[in-house]
Amino acid sequence: MSLDELSRQAMRIHALYDRMNLHERGRTWTREEFMLGFMGDVGDLAKLVMGAEGARTMRGGKAALEHELADCLWSVLVLARLYEIDLAEAFARTMTELEQTITAKLPSENEELPGPGSS
């Protein structure tokens, strides 16, 4: 599935949440409230990653981790659409910038990287 297809599907689910919230609460979430919900999902993801690494009990195992990663991706896709960000273009540009920045800090291929214990 392409990023554009994922984004369209994410917005369909977002629209369903809006309909449900209108029906149940008489209002939809603001962008700020949506972001706060995303922060909660990131917190849940952090706990699951800690569990996967053995630092805490992980309920739900890999399936819970998969679900939370998908929830977080959904939020990022929706936020990008809500703020009219071309996520594919922004991602490509950011990765190019990071690659250039990191590569500039690395020794050339001909230079030797210091090994463990060397000064």
Side-chain angles (χ1 to χ4, degrees):
M1 194 177 268
S2 72
L3 186 60
D4 191 51
E5 291 168 322
L6 291 172
S7 183
R8 283 195 303 270
Q9 186 176 22
M11 291 309 293
R12 284 193 303 272
I13 301 304
H14 179 65
L16 289 173
Y17 269 117
D18 277 354
R19 285 179 54 200
M20 182 182 74
N21 284 325
L22 273 172
H23 174 73
E24 292 179 354
R25 295 174 187 83
R27 64 185 285 276
T28 61
W29 280 17
T30 64
R31 292 186 294 188
E32 293 89 353
E33 289 168 326
F34 189 82
M35 183 62 211
L36 289 172
F38 175 44
M39 289 174 61
D41 287 340
V42 170
D44 292 341
L45 176 60
K47 292 173 189 171
L48 289 167
V49 168
M50 289 177 70
E53 294 301 318
R56 66 182 301 150
T57 302
M58 182 170 151
R59 296 177 191 213
K62 186 175 178 181
L65 184 59
E66 289 173 349
H67 175 89
E68 211 54 55
L69 281 165
D71 269 354
C72 288
L73 177 58
W74 173 73
S75 293
V76 169
L77 292 168
V78 170
L79 285 164
R81 281 283 185 103
L82 293 177
Y83 285 97
E84 299 178 2
I85 304 295
D86 180 337
L87 197 54
E89 189 278 324
F91 183 84
R93 183 181 63 248
T94 300
M95 293 303 108
T96 298
E97 291 167 0
L98 288 173
E99 184 176 18
Q100 291 169 349
T101 299
I102 294 166
T103 302
K105 293 179 180 183
L106 293 173
S108 70
E109 295 283 327
N110 299 332
E111 293 180 55
E112 209 173 292
L113 291 173
S118 63
S119 10

